[in-house]
Amino acid sequence: LNAINVFVSNDLNNDQSYLLSTIDPPTLEKMILPLSDMRSDEVKKIGDSLKLAYKEKPKESQVPLMEQPKLGDFVRDRMPQKLVKDGNVIDYKLDSMMGEHEGIHLFGLGQGNLRSKSGVPFDKSLQVIGFRYAAGTVYVANKEDLRFDTIVLMHVKYAQGADLSQPMEVFIKTKEKGERLAATLYDYNNRYAELKLKESQSGLIFQGEFVAIYNRSGAMGRVIGGGEVRTCGYIDFNELRTFPKKKEEIEEWKNLTLSLFFLHQQP
């Protein structure tokens, strides 16, 4: 990104600026991309007229990575065998057991469409949010209970000429097909940065995922940087919190609120 600029395509349906923003500048400089002003269907028509063959996107590539059927075998063959064991699936908020699983290597952060050891599907609103590897525990939470308005980035790279002397109003994408979200960028030392979103978002973005940063939201917006997620969450009493409050914490908060209410009612 330091030697070449990446812009959003005029054809927003086939914009690949998010993917290109993850490529290192030396590699990006060597890429030849002559089709920026053409739509993909136009390119295919020209290819057909010239009788050129092109590779269709395989159906399995449309399945989310963490739900690929062969992923568990791939991970199992490359992880310490002491971690290949069954365990329990725990609802983080309620701190209750949902069922057993066949192996922690079968799960990944953010994964949905979960099944128990017996094959019974869990509620579709549940997704994996964390692990306790030594015990083989998989923690899940309801997507509706997950939210974030702050993202901490690491390994951040910026485009040439980016003014980092003061907070910057930007737009970000957290996935290829995701919408652009308005945020304020705060640059820190050691290639760290913080993004404060204008509006709270549901769900979570997990460590290692990539965030692309743009100077504007629409077509021909320029990629001005990007980085890997260190953590994300919401600010609760001046503390960045990632996971939802547990049941007992909610009860404590309700009791405290009621106590303060009755205290103020006293003469």
Side-chain angles (χ1 to χ4, degrees):
L1 296 178
N2 291 326
I4 190 170
N5 289 314
V6 174
F7 290 89
V8 177
S9 170
N10 287 324
D11 181 6
L12 295 179
N13 291 327
N14 291 286
D15 173 48
Q16 295 187 339
S17 61
Y18 174 86
L19 296 176
L20 292 172
S21 68
T22 66
I23 301 175
D24 289 334
T27 302
L28 197 58
E29 283 184 322
K30 295 179 172 61
M31 296 180 65
I32 300 175
L33 304 171
L35 308 176
S36 60
D37 295 327
M38 301 178 66
R39 296 178 182 273
S40 61
D41 55 352
E42 295 173 336
V43 176
K44 289 181 179 180
K45 287 181 180 179
I46 295 174
D48 290 338
S49 68
L50 297 174
K51 297 182 179 181
L52 298 176
Y54 55 87
K55 188 176 182 180
E56 292 285 356
K57 192 173 184 179
K59 291 183 179 181
E60 56 267 23
S61 67
Q62 300 175 23
V63 178
L65 174 63
M66 298 315 304
E67 296 174 18
Q68 293 281 351
K70 297 181 180 179
L71 182 61
D73 294 336
F74 178 87
V75 174
R76 181 194 59 207
D77 295 340
R78 291 162 176 80
M79 68 184 291
Q81 291 304 300
K82 64 181 180 180
L83 296 181
V84 182
K85 58 182 179 180
D86 56 10
N88 298 325
V89 178
I90 303 293
D91 185 311
Y92 182 86
K93 180 179 178 180
L94 301 179
D95 197 21
S96 62
M97 179 177 169
M98 303 293 295
E100 298 180 327
H101 64 76
E102 290 185 306
I104 203 168
H105 62 286
L106 299 173
F107 298 87
L109 291 174
Q111 182 180 350
N113 295 321
L114 306 171
R115 292 180 178 273
S116 68
K117 186 175 183 178
S118 61
V120 177
F122 293 128
D123 190 316
K124 291 185 177 180
S125 65
L126 296 174
Q127 70 176 136
V128 178
I129 63 170
F131 303 96
R132 189 150 63 96
Y133 294 103
T137 302
V138 177
Y139 289 105
V140 299
N142 193 305
K143 296 176 184 178
E144 295 181 354
D145 293 325
L146 304 174
R147 62 186 176 90
F148 64 95
D149 57 21
T150 302
I151 305 173
V152 178
L153 298 179
M154 58 185 179
H155 306 148
V156 183
K157 301 176 184 177
Y158 295 104
Q160 187 175 18
D163 183 7
L164 306 174
S165 60
Q166 56 187 354
M168 186 187 312
E169 300 303 310
V170 298
F171 292 86
I172 67 169
K173 283 185 71 171
T174 61
K175 52 187 176 181
E176 181 185 2
K177 300 298 183 181
E179 62 177 320
R180 290 180 181 82
L181 308 174
T184 303
L185 170 68
Y186 299 88
D187 179 63
Y188 299 141
N189 296 327
N190 301 318
R191 296 176 61 192
Y192 275 79
E194 182 176 304
L195 292 163
K196 295 289 294 182
L197 276 62
K198 301 299 183 183
E199 296 182 4
S200 179
Q201 301 295 311
S202 60
L204 285 179
I205 314 173
F206 296 99
Q207 183 173 349
E209 296 187 39
F210 191 84
V211 174
I213 306 171
Y214 299 80
N215 67 339
R216 65 183 189 187
S217 62
M220 296 309 296
R222 184 168 68 97
V223 176
I224 59 175
E228 297 175 25
V229 173
R230 176 66 181 84
T231 187
C232 82
Y234 60 97
I235 301 300
D236 184 51
F237 288 99
N238 295 320
E239 180 181 354
L240 181 63
R241 186 185 187 105
T242 299
F243 297 152
K245 285 186 171 69
K246 291 188 175 183
K247 184 178 180 180
E248 58 266 25
E249 293 179 292
I250 296 175
E251 292 300 322
E252 288 178 5
W253 172 248
K254 288 181 179 179
N255 293 335
L256 176 60
T257 303
L258 287 173
S259 298
L260 292 174
F261 173 78
F262 288 118
L263 180 63
H264 286 295
Q265 298 304 308
Q266 296 179 0

